[in-house]
Amino acid sequence: MVPHLITALTGPINELEQRMLDAMPAIERWFRLEWMEHTPAFYSAVDIRNAGFKLVPVDTSLFPRSWSSLTRDMLPLAVQAAQAAIEKICPEARNLLIVPDGQIDNSFYLANLLQMRRIFESAGLNVRFGSLDPAIKSPKELKLHSGEKIVIEPLLRTRNRLGLKHFDPCTILLNNDLAAGVPGILEDLHEQYVLPPLQAGWSLRRKSNHLKTYEEVAKRFGKLLGIDPWLINPLHARLTDVAVGKPAGIEQVQTEVDALLGRVRRKYKEYGITEKPFMAIKPDNGADVLPNGANVLIVRDAADLEMFGRKPRAAKEQRVATDLILREGVLTNERVHDAVAEPVVYMLDRYVVGGYYRIHADRTSDESTNAPGSRYVPLAFAESHHLPQPGQQAGASAPNRFYMYGVIARLAMLASSYEMEATDPQAEVYE
């Protein structure tokens, strides 16, 4: 199954798919050379939007939390990738400590933890869960609807190591995005591997760094493929020190929005695209919110920017962003069961291991599907032989379309590797 597109502009995407298939040996060699120089994220998930005329990543998560949405057919790939990643990081590893976020009362999140345990136990590790929540002072058993159980335990910190009672791990795997900040218990663990690195947490990470590094990657990959990088890269701009709550705040944002929309209109004109361009505005700091308490604002006209001139309505525990990211809005014209759909690709180390379509029947093509009411449909490649089929007509083969998704996802993950290297606090020490 390849989700159908409602736009007539399917030609460019099919041409891009064909180019990637024809250049597969060169693409795979290019990635191999990149991984000789850069360390891939331990695990990641990339949201992709297919407008019919361009295909871009719109979010790269370094703390993926929907592993339970991968089908059992995908698990062998995940186990093999986990084995490769562990052998590279800590070949003698025996114990893995997973640090979850605070959603342990959420059945969907517990299913995610269960799936992670299944993958890493199959890869040859003893897996236990340790919570950052100070309220958890003794092991807490949680039962899933399936009848399976998960035990969440209090973390124990010694001078140089973090673990659990009678459990000393080689590696600590964070499944907590640290949006509230990096707790001291995770700092200065020089004898253990902490993955992802602490600077990946949203209290420290900046979306602008990722967009900048992805733009660099897209330009280099575009040159390899002989394509306009814009076809795989959303235009963006960064706006700092916005006077939120004052009339000047609207003017600041409006000026940048108009400039970026002008750039998008010129690209639309170049490619004969008749869609109306729009903009997505997000806090640069992933831990912050917009003045209305939301994480993203879709801008279709100037009236949408009025919130920046009004007094913020964010909750007390939320910090209102004054540094913003403006990103070219990208339609998602893929449909599954007549609902708007976005492919989400999951990776372990440098390997694509599976994914799903996140669908939302009540959303339009210019809105995010990552909202209450969304559902998950497994990517159809799980029912295929996985390998691309170069002889198939572009747009007709699920493995071929999935290969293209996987290339874009790996580009985003490579960009996150550049990003983590550039923001590594230890790098300054050794320069």
Side-chain angles (χ1 to χ4, degrees), residues 103-367:
Q103 302 182 57
I104 59 172
D105 58 346
N106 183 306
S107 59
F108 182 82
Y109 183 67
L110 289 179
N112 163 71
L113 295 180
L114 183 66
Q115 187 84 305
M116 290 176 65
R117 186 176 72 188
R118 186 178 292 122
I119 290 169
F120 290 109
E121 284 184 344
S122 297
L125 293 172
N126 300 311
V127 179
R128 286 166 67 175
F129 300 95
S131 176
L132 291 169
D133 186 353
I136 296 182
K137 300 184 182 301
S138 60
K140 183 175 182 179
E141 186 177 272
L142 303 165
K143 190 173 182 179
L144 284 76
H145 295 308
S146 63
E148 295 172 283
K149 298 176 183 178
I150 283 181
V151 177
I152 308 292
E153 302 177 66
L155 291 169
L156 294 177
R157 175 68 191 256
T158 60
R159 182 175 181 181
N160 298 314
R161 299 183 72 83
L162 182 68
L164 307 173
K165 188 175 182 180
H166 306 308
F167 190 78
D168 184 27
C170 165
T171 301
I172 297 153
L173 180 60
L174 303 178
N175 200 236
N176 183 316
D177 64 12
L178 305 179
V182 178
I185 197 172
L186 294 178
E187 295 179 331
D188 301 320
L189 292 172
H190 303 304
E191 296 181 1
Q192 294 167 298
Y193 295 96
V194 178
L195 302 169
L198 296 181
Q199 72 267 24
W202 275 126
S203 60
L204 300 174
R205 191 181 177 199
R206 298 295 178 265
K207 291 183 172 71
S208 56
N209 289 332
H210 183 71
L211 288 169
K212 181 180 178 181
T213 55
Y214 181 77
E215 183 177 41
E216 177 187 343
V217 169
K219 286 179 179 178
R220 294 178 52 238
F221 186 77
K223 186 176 181 180
L224 172 73
L225 226 58
I227 63 170
D228 181 351
W230 178 76
L231 296 174
I232 58 173
N233 177 48
L235 299 178
H236 67 275
R238 182 171 183 254
L239 185 57
T240 60
D241 298 323
V242 175
V244 176
K246 301 178 181 179
I250 299 178
E251 185 177 348
Q252 284 177 279
V253 181
Q254 181 70 62
T255 299
E256 290 294 333
V257 167
D258 288 344
L260 190 55
L261 282 175
R263 293 171 60 194
V264 176
R265 289 190 186 100
R266 287 192 289 274
K267 297 303 290 189
Y268 276 25
K269 183 177 181 180
E270 178 184 345
Y271 285 92
I273 297 165
T274 58
E275 303 281 357
K276 183 180 178 181
F278 64 101
M279 197 65 50
I281 299 179
K282 296 183 177 183
D284 192 12
N285 183 340
D288 292 350
V289 296
L290 297 174
N292 64 349
N295 296 312
V296 61
L297 171 67
I298 301 301
V299 177
R300 302 177 183 86
D301 55 53
D304 296 324
L305 300 175
E306 291 180 357
M307 73 159 69
F308 293 101
R310 297 195 297 263
K311 186 177 180 180
R313 295 189 291 107
K316 290 182 179 180
E317 67 275 9
Q318 295 176 319
R319 187 174 60 187
V320 176
T322 57
D323 294 344
L324 305 173
I325 286 297
L326 282 58
R327 195 200 70 226
E328 171 191 355
V330 181
L331 299 169
T332 179
N333 280 323
E334 298 200 59
R335 295 289 184 273
V336 174
H337 308 315
D338 296 323
V340 169
E342 287 180 349
V344 181
V345 176
Y346 267 59
M347 289 165 286
L348 258 167
D349 197 68
R350 61 180 180 167
Y351 305 103
V352 173
V353 298
Y356 52 85
Y357 291 103
R358 185 170 53 228
I359 68 174
H360 204 301
D362 298 325
R363 291 279 166 148
T364 59
S365 60
D366 60 357
E367 294 179 310

Side-chain angles (χ1 to χ4, degrees), residues 1-3 334 336 341-344 355-359 375-380 398 401-402 405:
M1 176 193 70
V2 178
E334 298 200 59
V336 174
E342 287 180 349
V344 181
Y356 52 85
Y357 291 103
R358 185 170 53 228
I359 68 174
R375 296 188 297 114
Y376 302 97
V377 176
L379 282 165
R401 182 54 52 91
F402 181 72
Y405 292 159

